[in-house]
Coordinates of all heavy atoms in Angstrom, one line a residue:
E717 N -91.6 -122.1 94.6 CA -90.7 -123.3 94.4 C -91.3 -124.5 95.2 O -91.9 -124.3 96.3 CB -89.3 -123.0 94.9 CG -88.6 -121.9 94.2 CD -88.2 -122.3 92.8 OE1 -88.1 -123.5 92.5 OE2 -87.9 -121.3 92.0
W718 N -91.2 -125.7 94.6 CA -91.5 -126.9 95.3 C -90.3 -127.3 96.0 O -89.3 -127.6 95.4 CB -92.0 -128.0 94.3 CG -93.3 -127.9 93.7 CD1 -93.6 -127.5 92.4 CD2 -94.6 -128.1 94.4 NE1 -95.0 -127.5 92.3 CE2 -95.6 -127.8 93.5 CE3 -94.9 -128.4 95.7 CZ2 -97.0 -127.9 93.8 CZ3 -96.3 -128.5 96.0 CH2 -97.3 -128.3 95.1
V719 N -90.4 -127.4 97.4 CA -89.2 -127.8 98.2 C -89.5 -129.0 99.0 O -90.6 -129.2 99.6 CB -88.9 -126.6 99.2 CG1 -87.7 -127.0 100.0 CG2 -88.6 -125.3 98.4
N720 N -88.6 -130.0 99.0 CA -88.7 -131.2 99.8 C -89.0 -130.8 101.3 O -88.4 -129.9 101.9 CB -87.5 -132.0 99.8 CG -87.2 -132.6 98.4 OD1 -88.1 -132.5 97.5 ND2 -86.0 -133.2 98.2
I721 N -90.0 -131.4 101.9 CA -90.4 -131.0 103.2 C -89.3 -131.2 104.3 O -89.2 -130.5 105.2 CB -91.7 -131.8 103.7 CG1 -92.3 -131.2 104.9 CG2 -91.3 -133.3 103.9 CD1 -93.7 -131.6 105.2
N722 N -88.4 -132.1 104.0 CA -87.3 -132.3 104.9 C -86.1 -131.3 104.7 O -85.1 -131.4 105.4 CB -86.7 -133.7 104.8 CG -87.7 -134.7 105.4 OD1 -88.3 -134.5 106.5 ND2 -88.0 -135.8 104.7
E723 N -86.3 -130.5 103.7 CA -85.2 -129.5 103.3 C -85.8 -128.1 103.4 O -85.2 -127.2 102.7 CB -84.7 -129.8 101.9 CG -84.0 -131.2 101.9 CD -83.6 -131.6 100.5 OE1 -83.8 -130.8 99.5 OE2 -83.1 -132.7 100.3
L724 N -86.8 -127.9 104.1 CA -87.4 -126.5 104.1 C -86.4 -125.5 104.8 O -85.8 -125.8 105.8 CB -88.7 -126.5 105.0 CG -90.0 -127.0 104.3 CD1 -91.1 -127.0 105.3 CD2 -90.3 -126.2 103.1
P725 N -86.3 -124.3 104.2 CA -85.5 -123.3 104.8 C -86.3 -122.7 106.0 O -87.4 -123.1 106.3 CB -85.3 -122.3 103.7 CG -86.6 -122.4 102.9 CD -86.9 -123.9 102.9
R726 N -85.7 -121.8 106.7 CA -86.4 -121.0 107.7 C -87.4 -120.1 107.1 O -87.1 -119.3 106.2 CB -85.4 -120.2 108.5 CG -86.0 -119.3 109.6 CD -86.4 -120.2 110.8 NE -87.1 -119.4 111.8 CZ -88.4 -119.4 112.0 NH1 -89.2 -120.1 111.3 NH2 -88.9 -118.6 113.0
L727 N -88.7 -120.3 107.4 CA -89.7 -119.6 106.9 C -90.1 -118.4 107.7 O -89.8 -118.3 108.9 CB -91.0 -120.4 106.7 CG -90.8 -121.7 105.8 CD1 -92.1 -122.5 105.7 CD2 -90.3 -121.3 104.4
Y728 N -90.8 -117.5 107.2 CA -91.3 -116.2 107.9 C -92.1 -116.6 109.1 O -93.0 -117.5 109.0 CB -92.1 -115.4 106.9 CG -92.7 -114.2 107.5 CD1 -92.0 -113.0 107.9 CD2 -94.1 -114.1 107.8 CE1 -92.6 -111.9 108.5 CE2 -94.7 -113.0 108.4 CZ -93.9 -111.9 108.7 OH -94.5 -110.8 109.3
S729 N -91.9 -115.9 110.2 CA -92.7 -116.0 111.4 C -92.8 -117.5 111.8 O -91.8 -118.2 112.0 CB -94.1 -115.4 111.1 OG -94.9 -115.4 112.3
D730 N -94.1 -117.9 112.0 CA -94.3 -119.3 112.5 C -94.7 -120.3 111.4 O -95.4 -121.3 111.7 CB -95.4 -119.3 113.6 CG -96.6 -118.5 113.2 OD1 -96.7 -118.2 112.0 OD2 -97.5 -118.3 114.1
H731 N -94.4 -120.0 110.2 CA -94.8 -120.8 109.1 C -94.2 -122.2 109.1 O -94.8 -123.2 108.6 CB -94.5 -120.1 107.7 CG -95.3 -118.9 107.5 ND1 -95.3 -118.2 106.3 CD2 -96.2 -118.3 108.2 CE1 -96.2 -117.2 106.3 NE2 -96.7 -117.2 107.5
N732 N -93.0 -122.4 109.6 CA -92.4 -123.7 109.8 C -93.3 -124.6 110.7 O -93.6 -125.8 110.5 CB -91.0 -123.7 110.3 CG -90.0 -123.2 109.3 OD1 -89.8 -122.0 109.1 ND2 -89.4 -124.1 108.5
E733 N -93.8 -123.9 111.8 CA -94.6 -124.6 112.7 C -95.9 -125.0 112.1 O -96.5 -126.1 112.3 CB -94.9 -123.7 113.9 CG -95.8 -124.3 115.0 CD -96.1 -123.3 116.1 OE1 -95.5 -122.3 116.2 OE2 -97.0 -123.7 116.9
M734 N -96.5 -124.1 111.2 CA -97.7 -124.5 110.5 C -97.5 -125.7 109.6 O -98.4 -126.6 109.6 CB -98.1 -123.3 109.6 CG -98.6 -122.1 110.3 SD -99.0 -120.8 109.1 CE -99.5 -119.4 110.2
V735 N -96.4 -125.7 108.9 CA -96.1 -126.9 108.0 C -96.0 -128.2 108.8 O -96.6 -129.2 108.4 CB -94.8 -126.6 107.2 CG1 -94.4 -127.9 106.4 CG2 -95.0 -125.4 106.3
M736 N -95.3 -128.1 109.9 CA -95.1 -129.4 110.7 C -96.4 -129.9 111.2 O -96.7 -131.1 111.3 CB -94.1 -129.1 111.8 CG -92.7 -128.9 111.4 SD -92.0 -130.3 110.4 CE -92.0 -129.6 108.7
K737 N -97.3 -128.9 111.7 CA -98.6 -129.3 112.2 C -99.5 -129.9 111.1 O -100.2 -130.9 111.3 CB -99.3 -128.2 112.9 CG -100.6 -128.6 113.6 CD -101.2 -127.5 114.4 CE -102.5 -127.9 115.1 NZ -103.1 -126.9 115.9
A738 N -99.4 -129.3 110.0 CA -100.2 -129.7 108.8 C -99.8 -131.1 108.4 O -100.6 -132.0 108.1 CB -100.1 -128.8 107.6
W739 N -98.5 -131.3 108.4 CA -97.9 -132.6 108.0 C -98.4 -133.7 108.9 O -98.8 -134.8 108.5 CB -96.4 -132.5 108.0 CG -95.7 -133.7 107.5 CD1 -96.2 -134.8 106.8 CD2 -94.3 -134.0 107.6 NE1 -95.2 -135.7 106.4 CE2 -94.0 -135.2 106.9 CE3 -93.2 -133.3 108.1 CZ2 -92.7 -135.8 106.8 CZ3 -91.9 -133.8 108.0 CH2 -91.7 -135.0 107.4
Q740 N -98.4 -133.4 110.2 CA -98.8 -134.4 111.2 C -100.3 -134.7 111.0 O -100.7 -135.9 111.1 CB -98.6 -133.9 112.6 CG -98.9 -134.9 113.7 CD -98.0 -136.1 113.7 OE1 -96.8 -136.1 113.3 NE2 -98.6 -137.3 113.9
L741 N -101.1 -133.7 110.8 CA -102.5 -134.0 110.6 C -102.8 -134.8 109.3 O -103.7 -135.7 109.3 CB -103.3 -132.6 110.5 CG -103.4 -131.8 111.8 CD1 -104.0 -130.5 111.5 CD2 -104.2 -132.6 112.9
M742 N -102.0 -134.5 108.3 CA -102.2 -135.2 107.0 C -101.8 -136.7 107.3 O -102.4 -137.6 106.8 CB -101.3 -134.6 105.9 CG -101.4 -135.4 104.6 SD -100.5 -134.6 103.3 CE -98.8 -134.7 103.9
K743 N -100.7 -137.0 108.0 CA -100.3 -138.3 108.3 C -101.4 -139.1 109.0 O -101.7 -140.2 108.6 CB -99.1 -138.3 109.2 CG -97.8 -138.0 108.6 CD -96.7 -138.1 109.7 CE -95.4 -137.5 109.2 NZ -94.3 -137.6 110.3
Q744 N -102.0 -138.5 110.0 CA -103.1 -139.1 110.7 C -104.3 -139.4 109.8 O -104.9 -140.5 109.9 CB -103.5 -138.2 111.9 CG -102.4 -138.1 112.9 CD -102.8 -137.0 114.0 OE1 -103.8 -136.4 113.9 NE2 -101.9 -136.8 115.0
K745 N -104.7 -138.5 109.0 CA -105.8 -138.6 108.1 C -105.6 -139.7 107.1 O -106.5 -140.4 106.7 CB -106.2 -137.3 107.5 CG -107.7 -137.3 107.0 CD -108.1 -135.8 106.8 CE -109.6 -135.7 106.5 NZ -110.4 -136.1 107.7
M746 N -104.4 -139.8 106.6 CA -104.1 -140.7 105.5 C -104.2 -142.2 106.0 O -104.3 -143.1 105.2 CB -102.7 -140.5 104.9 CG -102.7 -139.4 103.9 SD -101.1 -139.1 103.1 CE -100.8 -140.6 102.3

Side-chain angles (χ1 to χ4, degrees):
E717 299 289 342
W718 286 108
V719 179
N720 293 351
I721 195 165
N722 290 314
E723 299 174 359
L724 279 179
R726 178 77 183 100
L727 302 178
Y728 175 75
S729 184
D730 49 10
H731 289 189
N732 288 86
E733 182 184 348
M734 291 180 180
V735 173
M736 292 302 107
K737 185 173 181 181
W739 187 12
Q740 186 60 39
L741 291 175
M742 180 176 62
K743 286 182 191 179
Q744 295 171 357
K745 201 166 190 65
M746 279 183 63

